[in-house]
Amino acid sequence: MENCWDFVEWLGSDTSSSVFLLLGDPADVVRASAVSKSWRRFVIGNGFCKKICLTICPELANFTHVIEVGASVEAGDVGSSSAVEWKNLEKEHRVYSYLSHCLVSPAAKMAFPIKAICASSTDNYPDESIDNTLYEGEQVGMRPSYWSSKGKGDPLVPETLTYRLSSKLCAIDEIRIRPFRAFFQPGFPIYSAKAVQFRICFSRLPLEEGTGTAVHDNNWDYVSPEFPMAQENTLQTFKLPRPFVCIGGELQVQLLGRVQLQEEDNLYYICVCHVQVVGRLLGPVFDAEIPNTMGNLVLKYFPDARGCSTPPEGGPSEEPSESSTPHTYLQRLVQLGIGVRVNQVSLGDLLTNIPFDEFDDDIDSDGTMSD
């Protein structure tokens, strides 16, 4: 048929790759791969799902190997090197398309269980220890529940609270902190900080549990911006600029600056009632194999567990649908404000003459076109 083009071939590999990478939503890339077999080969062969996933969360580059685990996973075929390479590319496409969907999914977030490790100082241990920040109320039984720093004459002296995440693999979206109101003191003063900052690291060396500080200086994998903290007795939410995937790691809350003077000793204190870490658990579908020493991390994917963690309705599917056509794909590009013009021929002109059924060609196991 005359004047029938595949715009990926027409634009060329480099320009087409630039267009695909402008799709920030991983679901759009998966839908593009369902337009035709030739597009699917192009998307998988260039690893677009993995590239977009790493754009969302660059720390995922720490995973140097991906493993699929489960009864439904087919055993690797023995064949030519190109066939084996294509199988690996298909596997990465499946894994990273679903992982990126989990990271941007509007599914309800939840508070993760955390374990208190240490505080930079504690005024009255154990009554005012960091362990108290794990409980939501400002009272447990008949006693006030909070952590308190030691008093300082300089209001600029910071404090830190360090926690270990109980989940091995999770995406952190926000941290919530409730400053403590001393309801037993005149005027009910609130001992908040001026600002807060968060540092996150993967588990590499153990921290010494107790009231002391960490036994080593962590190489922090993420440091957030500083957020102002209100002097209010409320659970305040501090949303990170992007989700951060934490691999069996630690979270350190940096409390910057003091605002409340205690009349009894004329010293500044910071007191925290409760700390929450909120985001998305990536298990049981995903897990991380963490070596005992510094080394390569392995991402494990359990496709059979997807029923235990059902994605929201409308999530990406790898199967072609009626809406996965070049024309609906073009509409998505227009919505994103992507204008592509090659040799004065617009992308819309190219797609206008594309018969969808012309793309139904067969693909061999190594990704090549069959005759």
Side-chain angles (χ1 to χ4, degrees), residues 7 30 36 49 86 88 98 105 139 159 182 208 220 247 365:
F7 94 85
V30 176
S36 71
C49 282
W86 179 253
N88 287 332
Y98 192 72
S105 168
Q139 282 186 276
E159 297 285 349
E208 185 178 278
W220 299 104
I247 307 169
S365 61

Side-chain angles (χ1 to χ4, degrees), residues 138 179-192 231-233 259-263 271:
E138 60 181 11
F180 180 68
R181 177 189 60 181
F183 53 85
F184 46 81
Q185 292 183 356
F188 310 117
I190 299 174
Y191 291 91
S192 66
Q231 193 175 9
E232 299 174 356
N233 180 33
V259 298
Q260 185 61 50
L261 195 70
Q262 182 174 257
E263 294 183 0
C271 300

Side-chain angles (χ1 to χ4, degrees), residues 11-77:
L11 295 179
S13 177
D14 292 342
T15 303
S16 297
S17 296
S18 299
V19 173
F20 276 89
L21 290 175
L22 287 173
L23 298 172
D25 188 342
D28 288 331
V29 178
V30 176
R31 294 187 185 103
S33 70
V35 166
S36 71
K37 291 183 178 180
S38 63
W39 281 32
R40 177 176 175 80
R41 186 178 68 254
F42 183 73
V43 169
I44 294 175
N46 286 277
F48 290 134
C49 282
K50 180 177 180 179
K51 291 176 181 178
I52 290 181
C53 199
L54 296 184
T55 300
I56 298 172
C57 294
E59 60 276 6
L60 290 172
N62 288 283
F63 289 112
T64 59
H65 190 53
V66 174
I67 297 177
E68 276 187 295
V69 183
S72 64
V73 178
E74 297 181 2
D77 295 333

Side-chain angles (χ1 to χ4, degrees), residues 299-369:
L299 177 63
K300 293 185 175 181
Y301 175 52
F302 298 84
D304 295 337
R306 286 178 59 164
C308 303
S309 181
T310 305
E313 186 175 351
S317 169
E318 293 193 20
E319 297 300 322
S321 64
E322 292 182 359
S323 62
S324 296
T325 68
H327 299 283
T328 55
Y329 186 62
L330 172 61
Q331 291 174 357
R332 179 57 177 162
L333 295 177
V334 173
Q335 291 172 1
L336 293 171
I338 301 171
V340 180
R341 187 173 292 270
V342 179
N343 295 330
Q344 305 303 315
V345 181
S346 69
L347 183 60
D349 294 334
L350 293 175
L351 291 179
T352 300
N353 296 317
I354 297 177
F356 181 66
D357 53 5
E358 290 290 322
F359 286 38
D360 256 349
D361 36 31
D362 294 328
I363 302 178
D364 294 330
S365 61
D366 62 354
T368 61
M369 299 285 295

Side-chain angles (χ1 to χ4, degrees), residues 60-111:
L60 290 172
N62 288 283
F63 289 112
T64 59
H65 190 53
V66 174
I67 297 177
E68 276 187 295
V69 183
S72 64
V73 178
E74 297 181 2
D77 295 333
V78 177
S80 66
S81 58
S82 59
V84 173
E85 181 182 1
W86 179 253
K87 288 292 185 183
N88 287 332
L89 289 172
E90 286 185 314
K91 176 182 65 178
E92 287 196 345
H93 175 75
R94 291 191 297 271
V95 172
Y96 284 102
S97 63
Y98 192 72
L99 177 57
S100 57
H101 165 65
C102 293
L103 295 175
V104 300
S105 168
K109 294 176 288 189
M110 61 176 294

